Amino acid sequence: MTGSQQITVRQMQADDISAADSLREAAGWNQRQTDWLTALAYQPDGCFVAVCRGQIAGTVTTTSYGTELGWIGMMLVAPSLQRRGIATQLMETAIEYLQELGIECIRLDATPTGRIVYERLGFQSEWDFHRWERSHGPQVTIEPAPTVSMDTLSAELVQLDRDAFGTNRSAWLKAAGPHSRCVGFEQGFGMSRTGSRATYLGPVVAESTDAARRIAVTLLNDIAGPVFWDIPGPNIAATRMAQTMGFLPVRDLTRMRLGPESVQPDYSRLYGLYDPGMG
Ligand SMILES: CC(C)(COP(=O)(O)OP(=O)(O)OC[C@H]1O[C@@H](n2cnc3c(N)ncnc32)[C@H](O)[C@@H]1OP(=O)(O)O)[C@@H](O)C(=O)NCCC(=O)NCCS
């Protein structure tokens, strides 16, 4: 790389989000500027940009769930600057940041191209999964799950989420709550939020398939246009539910891990992810 194309990596600032979101748009991803802002407010010193000739050339975010689990997301490199080691440099920065917090177990959700980058850095695949999409669907008669606030989620639902996700992420759910529609009852809860291409359904966390269906249908009945739903590969019941509701698989992703499997989710109770960028 010539001197004029030298890449530097630094912490992301709020001013970078417009440029970061242009990379997101170029990749066709579904997040919005609000999602970047939420990630940056939650982990202000753990989101990074690569800069080339004064322009934002790449991005990465980290999200720490206590000191048990770290997440890496929003890995994007400008199309004209790919294959120059920028993703690798950003990943090394993100991994070092999380490890300095004392986090040993790091997870992420990889696109097929991202997976090649991450394997070279020592990440192992845990399971494959699909993004499911439905362009529109019928209203389904069901007793609606009540609206809940992530600020006052019951101790039982916090514990259920902890069991399903593998660690306590209530601080993150509180941060995301204001931008989401949130419903729940004793046996589970779910969220949906506006995306730039489709409304995103997730997470959906429930004790049983019946409870998950009630939560998903309540949220879906409020959505007029297209919906994305990322379903953990090991949850076969969730996959069947999406299929019967008219969802089709549109993207292939892989859950990957670096470090020990010290955080063990219960995927039978995780019916939808929050977002591949944050788990
Ligand atoms: C995936 C992505 C972030 C990689 O960025 P990058 O800066 O080009 O990656 P690097 O230059 O660090 O690549 C490191 C190695 O990974 C592999 N690799 C990267 N991109 C590849 C591709 N398109 N095809 C095959 N191998 C690839 C190569 O082995 C490469 O080393 P090499 O160039 O010396 O052969 C970039 O392609 C991108 O933004 N894609 C769109 C969004 C996306 O999928 N992000 C990943 C989310 S999980």
Side-chain angles (χ1 to χ4, degrees), residues 108-206:
L108 55 75
D109 290 334
T111 60
T113 316
R115 181 176 169 164
I116 306 171
V117 179
Y118 309 140
E119 277 171 349
R120 286 167 48 119
L121 291 164
F123 280 78
Q124 296 171 19
S125 299
E126 294 192 312
W127 33 268
D128 295 326
F129 66 105
H130 298 302
R131 162 158 297 174
W132 297 80
E133 179 175 3
R134 177 173 98 170
S135 51
H136 57 83
Q139 288 276 316
V140 175
T141 305
I142 199 161
E143 184 190 352
T147 298
V148 292
S149 163
M150 288 298 135
D151 286 332
T152 54
L153 207 59
S154 69
E156 290 75 19
L157 288 183
V158 170
Q159 183 61 45
L160 174 64
D161 187 62
R162 187 190 184 115
D163 294 342
F165 186 63
T167 188
N168 188 333
R169 62 170 166 177
S170 55
W172 171 260
L173 296 177
K174 275 184 199 168
H179 316 295
S180 309
R181 166 142 166 69
C182 312
V183 302
F185 62 112
E186 299 76 22
Q187 292 175 351
F189 71 93
M191 300 167 88
S192 63
R193 75 197 70 86
T194 305
S196 58
R197 297 179 55 212
T199 304
Y200 190 89
L201 174 67
V204 177
V205 178

Side-chain angles (χ1 to χ4, degrees), residues 75 77 82-88 109-111 113 117-118 120:
M75 165 55 64
V77 172
Q82 292 175 3
R83 302 299 293 267
R84 299 177 195 206
I86 296 176
T88 303
D109 290 334
T111 60
T113 316
V117 179
Y118 309 140
R120 286 167 48 119

Side-chain angles (χ1 to χ4, degrees):
M1 200 172 300
T2 64
S4 61
Q5 289 190 314
Q6 205 69 45
I7 304 295
T8 52
V9 172
R10 62 163 172 79
Q11 285 180 357
M12 185 185 288
Q13 311 293 328
D15 285 356
D16 298 321
I17 285 180
S18 176
D21 202 50
S22 300
L23 298 186
R24 192 270 319 150
E25 177 77 34
W29 289 4
N30 190 45
Q31 292 87 355
R32 297 183 306 150
Q33 292 205 14
T34 306
D35 298 300
W36 289 104
L37 284 165
T38 307
L40 187 58
Y42 183 86
Q43 204 80 39
D45 53 356
C47 301
F48 302 94
V49 291
V51 180
C52 177
R53 293 181 177 175
Q55 304 292 317
I56 302 298
T59 60
V60 71
T61 60
T62 66
T63 309
S64 58
Y65 299 107
T67 51
E68 291 185 328
L69 177 67
W71 210 274
I72 296 180
M74 304 308 287
M75 165 55 64
L76 292 155
V77 172
S80 62
L81 293 168
Q82 292 175 3
R83 302 299 293 267
R84 299 177 195 206
I86 296 176
T88 303
Q89 210 176 320
L90 283 163
M91 281 298 293
E92 285 169 350
T93 305
I95 293 166
E96 190 182 323
Y97 168 81
L98 290 169
Q99 289 177 341
E100 278 178 4
L101 293 180
I103 296 172
E104 292 186 350
C105 180
I106 300 174
R107 286 198 166 102
L108 55 75
D109 290 334
T111 60
T113 316
R115 181 176 169 164
I116 306 171
V117 179
Y118 309 140
E119 277 171 349
R120 286 167 48 119
L121 291 164
F123 280 78
Q124 296 171 19
S125 299
E126 294 192 312
W127 33 268
D128 295 326
F129 66 105
H130 298 302
R131 162 158 297 174
W132 297 80
E133 179 175 3
R134 177 173 98 170
S135 51
H136 57 83
Q139 288 276 316
V140 175
T141 305
I142 199 161
E143 184 190 352
T147 298
V148 292
S149 163
M150 288 298 135
D151 286 332
T152 54
L153 207 59
S154 69
E156 290 75 19
L157 288 183
V158 170
Q159 183 61 45
L160 174 64
D161 187 62
R162 187 190 184 115
D163 294 342
F165 186 63
T167 188
N168 188 333
R169 62 170 166 177
S170 55
W172 171 260
L173 296 177
K174 275 184 199 168
H179 316 295
S180 309
R181 166 142 166 69
C182 312
V183 302
F185 62 112
E186 299 76 22
Q187 292 175 351
F189 71 93
M191 300 167 88
S192 63
R193 75 197 70 86
T194 305
S196 58
R197 297 179 55 212
T199 304
Y200 190 89
L201 174 67
V204 177
V205 178
E207 287 285 6
S208 67
T209 304
D210 282 348
R213 182 177 292 106
R214 183 175 166 201
I215 291 158
V217 168
T218 302
L219 292 167
L220 289 168
N221 276 349
D222 283 350
I223 301 168
V227 183
F228 290 157
W229 185 2
D230 293 327
I231 296 180
N235 192 329
I236 306 298
T239 298
R240 288 209 189 100
M241 192 189 309
Q243 286 169 325
T244 59
M245 290 176 177
F247 282 82
L248 295 171
V250 291
R251 271 182 77 186
D252 297 329
L253 296 152
T254 304
R255 170 65 51 93
M256 303 186 84
R257 188 188 78 249
L258 182 71
E261 202 178 2
S262 47
V263 172
Q264 295 189 338
D266 175 359
Y267 296 112
S268 70
R269 293 192 265 184
L270 198 58
Y271 287 78
L273 307 182
Y274 174 84
D275 178 297
M278 285 85 202

